Structure formats: structure tokens, C-alpha cells
Amino acid sequence: MLNYSSRGLDRVFGALADPTRRRMLERLSRGDCSVGELARPHRMSLPAISQHLGILESAGLVGRRRRGRVHRMRMRPGRLLQAESWIEEHRAAWEGRLDRLGKFLSELQSKEEKL
């Protein structure tokens, strides 16, 4: 099992739990953009957008570059890759368990049919 910082993963999964933040990441996956460009499709105030971006930054999912008054955001995929690895590792474990359960139930059903 890989060693993950649970605190870091908790922040990533917490950040991904919100649909607004997922849409922001989806937009950033197509390229860098300003905070104003990220805010445009959402019906919320700039302070609310800033809060969402702060959560994404603290989770390590986005980075910010300042040029004068313009803040440009970019996606940082490293944390997403860590989360993906964690999910994949656990998915494989659960699939194995479910396969064993299915085999057990099939054997149990065969035994009952013979009775």
C-alpha cells in the first residue's frame, strides 16, 4: 500500500466534494485563466469565488500567478494524480473482495441446489 498523507488527501477530496470547485478545475484543465474568467459562469460574488479558489489552493490543486491586479490560475495535477492512485489502489482491493464474495455465494447456491 502506498503511503499517502491523509491530511493532504482529505483536503483534495474535500475540495472535490463541491460542484463549483469541480467546474473550476474542469475549466482550468483546458488552460490557465484569470479569476474573473473563472468567476464568469458562476452566479456568486467574487469573495465567494475567492473562497473556493482558496480551498483549491490549500488542497494543492491549483496555483496562482499575480501580474499587477490580475491573478491567473493554473491547475496543478499532482494532487489529483495522488487521489487517483489512492482510488485505484482501493478499487482493486474491493474488486478482489467482491470477486471472492461472488465465488462464495455461487458455491453456497450450488450446495443448496444439491440438497
Side-chain angles (χ1 to χ4, degrees):
M1 188 177 280
L2 296 172
N3 183 19
Y4 301 99
S5 162
S6 65
R7 189 172 176 199
L9 277 178
D10 289 348
R11 285 184 180 177
V12 169
F13 288 124
L16 294 174
D18 184 85
T20 298
R21 292 190 287 268
R22 289 193 305 270
R23 283 192 298 273
M24 288 176 167
L25 287 174
E26 194 173 306
R27 167 54 188 91
L28 289 170
S29 71
R30 296 189 305 268
D32 299 359
C33 65
S34 70
V35 171
E37 290 169 321
L38 274 177
R40 195 167 294 126
H42 304 283
R43 291 186 165 178
M44 59 180 67
S45 66
L46 278 178
I49 292 292
S50 291
Q51 280 186 321
H52 283 294
L53 290 173
I55 291 168
L56 290 170
E57 282 182 292
S58 72
L61 294 169
V62 300
R64 180 186 305 250
R65 258 189 352 251
R66 293 176 183 92
R67 208 178 243 177
R69 293 177 49 175
V70 177
H71 293 229
R72 297 224 24 110
M73 306 304 295
R74 64 180 163 77
M75 190 164 181
R76 297 175 64 198
R79 290 291 179 133
L80 277 178
L81 295 174
Q82 287 177 337
E84 179 185 24
S85 295
W86 185 90
I87 290 168
E88 181 61 26
E89 182 179 306
H90 288 80
R91 182 195 58 78
W94 276 105
E95 280 182 353
R97 289 179 186 130
L98 291 172
D99 287 346
R100 288 191 300 278
L101 176 61
K103 183 179 176 186
F104 171 77
L105 292 174
S106 181
E107 290 171 359
L108 186 63
Q109 185 177 16
S110 292
K111 287 178 184 178
E112 286 180 357
E113 287 173 358
K114 290 179 183 176
L115 293 177

